[in-house]
Amino acid sequence: MTGFVALSVPAVGGISACGSNSGSPSGTNDGGPVQIAVDPRADPAMSTINAEPQTLPANGTSTAKVTVALKVSDGTPARQVQVVLTSSGKGAVFNPASGRTDEQGLFSATMTSTYVEAKTATATFNGGSIHTLVNFQLCHDPLFFPRAPRVVGSGASAMATGDFDGDHKIDLAVVNTTDHTVSILLGDGAGSFAGAPTPTLNIGAYAFSIATGDFNGDGTLDLAVANSNDNTVSILMGNGAGSFAAAPTRTVGVGSSPVSVTTGDFNKDGKFDLAVVNNVDKTVSILCKPLADRMAARGEVLMHDSGHGNGFVEEGQVAKATDA
């Protein structure tokens, strides 16, 4: 190829250009400068750098293949040109980080990172530099990067999220229908979870739904679980450190076969109330009456009772579903 010249290239950055006589062009002497054929005219405007894939997990093992294709100004390959790969940001590793283009003007390396950020990969060579972008993320787009599964109870059927231990990271509460428990998993903010100080909590029979709310006004999240076979709702009070204990009213009677529970301020008093869907008798139970204000006649229907936000709940309005 025209334009090639013989250059004396010393070792750069601790890396020998080609080595000693072994594998070197003929006519070189051990210990002397290595004569190699290089093309000093590699043109950045004609050259390219690509990463495949451009988006991948930042786990230090998933790799992007970075390929540099160097050409001279007339579009022919720039052979045997030294290329050095660098990256913006933290934690990026190239393997290899430098080398020479082959007979097609190509040089390739793998790129990994453990830091979540977009990085600019730069190839520097004797004619300049070219760039490409690689996005290291917590997950593949659009699929989540898989984490190690966590074992919970038998017949897991429902889940709620919230910050149960006050570290500003999302935790999980999982309802296990078959063994009548709730599993508490505390998140680390990076997609992994560990068992809470009390990892399992006993509830009623065959629960199918769970909701969170601050039922006693202490600034920490509590749990309400609908128990289908018991016709009750279990109330579990959080301590803000990831543990829960039964409320003063451990279970509250509702309609027949409750299958769903949710929270809301239904009487606009600024406190959490509960609404429970009862499958068999086609009703919705509204729970907002504090135990301290329980009416003398048990089961009295209160159309607009006001809760006190102290963790006590009792029967309130029961609304029958319409046929409309």
Side-chain angles (χ1 to χ4, degrees):
M1 174 181 174
T2 60
F4 276 81
V5 294
L7 298 180
S8 296
V9 181
V12 178
I15 302 175
S16 175
C18 277
S20 61
N21 266 355
S22 177
S24 304
S26 61
T28 59
N29 297 316
D30 286 337
V34 178
Q35 301 293 318
I36 60 174
V38 297
D39 185 350
R41 299 178 301 138
D43 186 353
M46 298 293 294
S47 302
T48 60
I49 178 173
N50 294 298
E52 179 61 37
Q54 285 192 304
T55 300
L56 69 161
N59 61 2
T61 59
S62 295
T63 58
K65 183 179 180 181
V66 177
T67 302
V68 180
L70 298 187
K71 295 183 179 180
V72 298
S73 56
D74 64 2
T76 55
R79 305 185 183 101
Q80 293 299 309
V81 174
Q82 181 74 16
V83 176
V84 177
L85 293 174
T86 57
S87 174
S88 65
K90 299 181 294 184
V93 176
F94 293 97
N95 185 25
S98 63
R100 294 188 177 277
T101 56
D102 61 15
E103 291 303 302
Q104 287 74 46
L106 302 177
F107 172 73
S108 296
T110 59
M111 182 180 182
T112 62
S113 178
T114 56
Y115 288 86
V116 179
E117 60 184 356
K119 295 176 172 61
T120 300
T122 300
T124 303
F125 47 92
N126 60 358
S129 62
I130 49 181
H131 314 275
T132 189
L133 191 67
V134 185
N135 292 300
F136 289 94
Q137 301 180 352
L138 280 176
C139 60
H140 281 292
D141 187 13
L143 299 178
F144 285 107
F145 174 64
R147 296 284 180 175
R150 293 292 306 179
V151 176
V152 291
S154 178
S157 60
M159 182 170 59
T161 62
D163 180 9
F164 301 141
D165 58 354
D167 63 354
H168 306 292
K169 300 178 178 67
I170 295 297
D171 309 313
L172 304 176
V174 182
V175 172
N176 308 307
T177 300
T178 304
D179 58 10
H180 320 312
T181 61
V182 172
S183 297
I184 305 299
L185 302 174
L186 302 180
D188 64 0
S192 296
F193 294 84
T198 305
T200 57
L201 310 167
N202 293 322
I203 52 175
Y206 285 91
F208 285 103
S209 182
I210 187 170
T212 64
D214 181 8
F215 303 137
N216 59 354
D218 64 353
T220 61
L221 285 178
D222 311 310
L223 303 176
V225 185
N227 307 308
S228 180
N229 275 22
D230 287 351
N231 303 330
T232 61
V233 172
S234 295
I235 307 298
L236 302 170
M237 314 307 294
N239 67 355
S243 295
F244 293 82
T249 307
R250 180 183 178 87
T251 58
V252 182
V254 290
S256 181
S257 187
V259 293
S260 182
V261 60
T262 190
T263 62
D265 181 9
F266 304 129
N267 54 3
K268 297 183 179 180
D269 64 353
K271 302 177 179 66
F272 279 96
D273 308 313
L274 298 176
V276 184
V277 174
N278 307 303
N279 182 48
V280 173
D281 56 12
K282 300 180 181 179
T283 61
V284 175
S285 299
I286 306 299
L287 307 176
C288 59
K289 179 174 181 281
L291 184 60
D293 282 352
R294 179 187 297 177
M295 301 299 289
R298 178 163 178 84
E300 181 175 2
V301 175
L302 302 176
M303 298 302 292
H304 299 288
D305 186 32
S306 177
H308 289 278
N310 60 1
F312 296 94
V313 291
E314 185 52 83
E315 290 84 357
Q317 176 181 346
V318 179
K320 182 175 176 57
T322 66
D323 295 330

